[in-house]
Amino acid sequence: MIKISDLSVKDHEGKLLLKEIDLDIKRGETTLICGEPGSGKTILLKAIKGLLGDDLSLEGDIESEGKIGMVFQEPEKQVVRRKVKLDVAFELENAGLSVQKMEKRIDRYSSILKTDHLLDRNIDELSHGEITKVALLSTMVSEPDIILLDEPLSPLDRRNQKLVLESIHKLKEQDITVIIAEHDIRDMYHYADKVILLKEGKLKRSGTPKEMYVELVKHGIKVPFEMGLKAHLEGEGI
């Protein structure tokens, strides 16, 4: 689904932000990209989406199959209209869909994400978690094959985190390829098929969650309590 070969990204001063990344992500996989702030998580997502600014240069290859959608760390910036339903319809209007097809598409994905109750509300009435769900709905209605989520849980309280986690679960049920950048993966660990660890722009290691938990704990990534305890006990030879 996505094949990244020898990918490096530099800023305008020549500083390497990503360094020789090689990565394969299969169709339908849910992949977590982990790392400390500044490790290159967001840069990697933007490179996959093709959204690197003119101040950044890219070397290497990124091959992907299908349409890519992305929900940014600040989803409020993706909102273009005051009413939720009108905002969700924006991309469909640009694609030239009829009103009937737009309604059908919005109803379908709103039902999947359980956002029906938000459609008639104003954006400024919503919580941050609800806005994240609306941004995800706006992405989903364009029917992407791959969805990128940039730290969707970090700024949220527990109630709003639950709203977003429900949506991620629904995406996984739809067999969509999902790539999530996040430092605290306690709530998403068991959703993942693959975990990628970045450190200072380099791919430190990748593997399944069961293969990666010790390495993640070593690098300060927050994992579920039982996995952190297991890593500690194994480190003590127990």
Side-chain angles (χ1 to χ4, degrees):
M1 195 70 177
I2 300 176
K3 183 175 180 62
I4 299 174
S5 305
D6 201 25
L7 173 68
S8 295
V9 174
K10 297 179 182 178
D11 65 15
H12 65 284
E13 296 177 346
K15 180 183 177 181
L16 277 168
L17 306 178
L18 291 178
K19 306 170 186 177
E20 300 175 348
I21 303 289
D22 291 301
L23 185 63
D24 289 309
I25 296 174
K26 297 177 182 177
R27 185 180 301 277
E29 280 188 335
T30 297
T31 300
L32 299 181
I33 301 175
C34 306
E36 298 174 345
S39 61
K41 302 187 297 296
T42 297
I43 295 292
L44 181 55
L45 288 189
K46 287 184 175 180
I48 293 172
K49 176 63 175 167
L51 290 177
L52 293 179
D54 294 336
D55 57 331
L56 301 178
S57 61
L58 181 151
E59 298 175 358
D61 295 309
I62 302 175
E63 300 175 18
S64 60
E65 299 175 9
K67 186 188 297 183
I68 301 175
M70 183 169 178
V71 176
F72 295 91
Q73 189 174 356
E74 298 177 339
E76 295 88 349
K77 293 182 178 180
Q78 294 178 248
V79 174
V80 295
R81 289 174 172 168
R82 187 164 178 262
K83 278 279 188 185
V84 169
K85 193 168 186 177
L86 292 177
D87 185 74
V88 172
F90 181 74
E91 289 294 334
L92 302 181
E93 290 175 359
N94 289 339
L97 268 68
S98 67
V99 172
Q100 184 179 11
K101 287 184 178 180
M102 282 193 287
E103 291 279 357
K104 187 175 181 180
R105 188 88 64 91
I106 291 170
D107 287 346
R108 179 189 175 198
Y109 289 105
S110 185
S111 177
I112 290 171
L113 294 178
K114 299 187 185 303
T115 53
D116 308 72
H117 63 294
L118 300 178
L119 292 178
D120 293 323
R121 294 177 64 185
N122 293 331
I123 294 291
D124 57 11
E125 297 173 349
L126 305 182
S127 69
H128 190 98
E130 288 170 335
I131 292 175
T132 301
K133 291 197 76 166
V134 168
L136 186 52
L137 176 61
S138 298
T139 302
M140 282 283 286
V141 295
S142 65
E143 297 189 332
D145 304 284
I146 302 163
I147 290 184
L148 314 177
L149 301 172
D150 189 9
E151 300 201 11
L153 300 185
S154 294
L156 304 181
D157 59 26
R158 193 62 193 165
R159 183 182 74 85
N160 283 304
Q161 284 181 350
K162 185 178 179 182
L163 291 175
V164 176
L165 286 167
E166 287 172 354
S167 296
I168 293 171
H169 180 65
K170 292 295 181 182
L171 295 179
K172 192 169 178 64
E173 286 181 343
Q174 297 297 309
D175 202 34
I176 294 171
T177 304
V178 182
I179 306 174
I180 306 166
E182 191 66 78
H183 176 71
D184 183 344
I185 63 169
R186 285 175 291 182
D187 293 309
M188 290 187 279
Y189 183 86
H190 297 295
Y191 288 117
D193 301 298
K194 178 180 291 182
V195 180
I196 296 162
L197 177 62
L198 293 181
K199 185 175 177 62
E200 297 176 349
K202 292 184 178 181
L203 178 58
K204 190 74 176 176
R205 191 180 168 192
S206 66
T208 66
K210 288 184 178 179
E211 294 169 340
M212 289 289 292
Y213 68 92
V214 173
E215 192 79 13
L216 295 173
V217 171
K218 283 181 182 178
H219 287 83
I221 306 301
K222 295 178 181 179
V223 300
F225 173 78
E226 68 273 16
M227 304 311 296
L229 179 60
K230 186 176 180 182
H232 174 73
L233 294 176
E234 288 179 1
E236 296 293 323
I238 300 173

